[in-house]
Amino acid sequence: MRITKEMSIGELLRKDSGTGVAEILQRAGMHCVGCPSAAHESLEQAGQVHGMDSDALLEEINLYFDTVTA
């Protein structure tokens, strides 16, 4: 499964059977992972709003999914 920057935070969280994506986002500075507006933001939008590097997040989240689905 490949994750893209266009996917919403809500979609990413639903694809994750654990808490890995939420932990990655929180470590990067997105502490409102569960708030309603965050659920509809794309990964790229969240990066812009929260001052996060969405390319680095994308890479880390894809690595995470590679390890949990392997």
Side-chain angles (χ1 to χ4, degrees):
M1 163 182 14
R2 294 315 293 166
I3 302 303
T4 68
K5 290 191 288 189
E6 293 74 32
M7 290 180 167
S8 71
I9 299 300
E11 185 177 0
L12 294 175
L13 294 172
R14 285 189 300 276
K15 288 184 179 295
D16 187 11
S17 60
T19 59
V21 170
E23 290 173 8
I24 291 167
L25 293 170
Q26 288 176 335
R27 275 197 315 268
M30 186 176 182
H31 302 289
C32 59
V33 173
C35 77
S37 60
H40 300 289
E41 286 180 333
S42 69
L43 182 59
E44 186 169 40
Q45 290 168 325
Q48 292 169 346
V49 170
H50 297 282
M52 301 180 298
D53 181 347
S54 57
D55 290 322
L57 281 173
L58 179 63
E59 184 176 333
E60 188 172 354
I61 291 170
N62 273 315
L63 285 172
Y64 165 74
F65 276 114
D66 286 347
T67 61
V68 296
T69 58

